[in-house]
Amino acid sequence: MKEARGRQLLPGQTSRVHVYDLESRTSRLVFESSTLLVEAPSVLPDGRLLLNGGGDLWLLEHGGTVVDESALVPVPMPGVPEINNDHVLDPSGTSVVVSGRDGDLYRVPVPLGGAAATLTDVTTALPVVRKFYLHGIAPDGETLAAIVGEHSEQGVWTTDVALVDPATGDPTFLTRDEHPDDGVSFAGDLLVWNSERFTPGTAQLVALRPGATDPVRITNDDRVNWFPHVSPDGAHLLYLSYEPGVQGHPADHRVELRLLPGVLVRGARMAVLPETLVVLDGGQGTVNVPPWSPDSRWFAYCDYPVGG
């Protein structure tokens, strides 16, 4: 029997996509399916959404009605293996870089799709097993921000932040330690990600400024905070927040989408509490990649309710 591609829905579970309007603080359901699990929405310049589902990439046009999987338009990616949910739209809006399950990164034209360019070669790290998980692209498109996972000859798995040259595929590591890192993305000329560097076992948001070598902590609470995404205008910092004690970024948890002022990334000292925008059933797949609209007025996210 052929193995299923991508994550699968649980019995009685649905996969939904919402768009959240920041000015009105309201959310609108645009997609719902009981057969295909979609995840990790990002936004094209024309407002259409890019989604992962079934190991493939899909386009979704969201209008005034709620649609199902029949409305999805596939993005052809000949030569690309099954992908995971780490894909990032190039600032030019003409291509997307996807993370293959084989560990390599591929550049695919959008929105029409087409032949992909392979950007990395994980075999160059042998005997270490290496995988690239893309989360960000610099505003000028010249640098990729990725989490590089490595499985050493001794059987130790590490995840570190690296800048990747898309011309050569070579990573320049910014962290090389035992502290798990993930979700790295650009905020202008800065980098933001979640790390257990300051609180082992509990991910918190950090930022790295140009020329610095050590990240600065942004959040400092008992919740488990993941996937920071600064809006294109720099005004807002959106992130995913799990309950205390959660390990990693698992699926099917009660989570919150929270908002902080974007100036915190640049070192502003403000006594401000995060604003909870949405409480939902999700986690993995909800906002793995930058979900903001180009005008910073709205973002997209996924949830996965069971029953009801």
Side-chain angles (χ1 to χ4, degrees):
M1 185 174 67
K2 188 176 180 180
E3 185 177 351
R5 288 164 54 96
R7 288 204 299 137
Q8 303 297 304
L9 291 167
L10 300 172
Q13 188 174 42
T14 56
S15 167
R16 306 193 303 184
V17 181
H18 309 255
V19 295
Y20 188 92
D21 181 82
L22 208 58
E23 182 178 3
S24 65
R25 294 298 199 267
T26 58
S27 183
R28 177 170 61 91
L29 179 66
V30 299
F31 174 91
E32 185 170 21
S33 176
S34 59
T35 62
L36 179 66
L37 190 153
V38 298
E39 51 189 340
S42 59
V43 185
L44 288 170
D46 62 10
R48 284 183 293 176
L49 302 181
L50 275 174
L51 298 159
N52 284 86
D56 296 308
L57 199 61
W58 305 87
L59 283 171
L60 175 67
E61 187 162 352
H62 51 97
T65 60
V66 180
V67 297
D68 61 17
E69 64 277 359
S70 64
L72 296 174
V73 177
V75 178
M77 299 183 294
V80 177
E82 177 183 345
I83 63 173
N84 67 13
N85 56 22
D86 299 320
H87 74 262
V88 180
L89 187 69
D90 187 88
S92 68
T94 61
S95 67
V96 63
V97 179
V98 301
S99 302
R101 291 286 183 190
D102 61 355
D104 276 320
L105 302 178
Y106 301 84
R107 186 183 297 277
V108 179
V110 289
L112 299 180
T118 304
L119 304 183
T120 54
D121 181 5
V122 294
T123 63
T124 60
L126 294 176
V128 172
V129 177
R130 175 179 288 175
K131 290 192 174 185
F132 291 85
Y133 302 95
L134 184 74
H135 288 279
I137 301 179
D140 62 6
E142 296 297 318
T143 307
L144 311 179
I147 296 299
V148 180
E150 289 190 340
H151 199 165
S152 72
E153 292 182 89
Q154 292 72 39
V156 177
W157 176 255
T158 56
T159 53
D160 287 294
V161 177
L163 299 179
V164 181
D165 182 343
T168 65
D170 294 332
T172 299
F173 286 93
L174 302 181
T175 64
R176 287 296 250 177
D177 53 42
E178 71 279 12
H179 305 297
D181 299 286
D182 213 323
V184 62
S185 64
F186 279 94
D189 57 348
L190 291 85
L191 290 169
V192 292
W193 70 88
N194 53 269
S195 176
E196 296 183 15
R197 168 187 293 254
F198 297 103
T199 50
T202 301
Q204 297 291 323
L205 307 187
V206 302
L208 185 67
R209 281 116 203 185
T213 57
D214 293 319
V216 176
R217 187 171 183 164
I218 300 174
T219 58
N220 185 11
D221 56 41
D222 62 351
R223 294 184 65 87
V224 179
N225 301 315
W226 276 75
F227 297 134
H229 301 298
V230 176
S231 58
D233 64 4
H236 308 288
L237 171 61
L238 177 73
Y239 65 99
L240 181 72
S241 185
Y242 287 90
E243 293 180 350
V246 172
Q247 297 296 304
H249 61 292
D252 307 319
H253 275 252
R254 197 67 171 167
V255 295
E256 298 180 6
L257 287 176
R258 291 184 158 195
L259 197 70
L260 282 168
V263 292
L264 292 175
V265 174
R266 296 196 168 272
R269 297 185 179 276
M270 303 170 61
V272 57
L273 293 175
E275 177 185 359
T276 296
L277 301 180
V278 185
V279 179
L280 58 93
D281 296 316
Q284 173 70 292
T286 295
V287 285
N288 288 58
V289 301
W292 285 99
S293 65
D295 62 9
S296 302
R297 296 176 62 182
W298 58 273
F299 62 85
Y301 67 92
C302 295
D303 72 347
Y304 309 95
V306 176

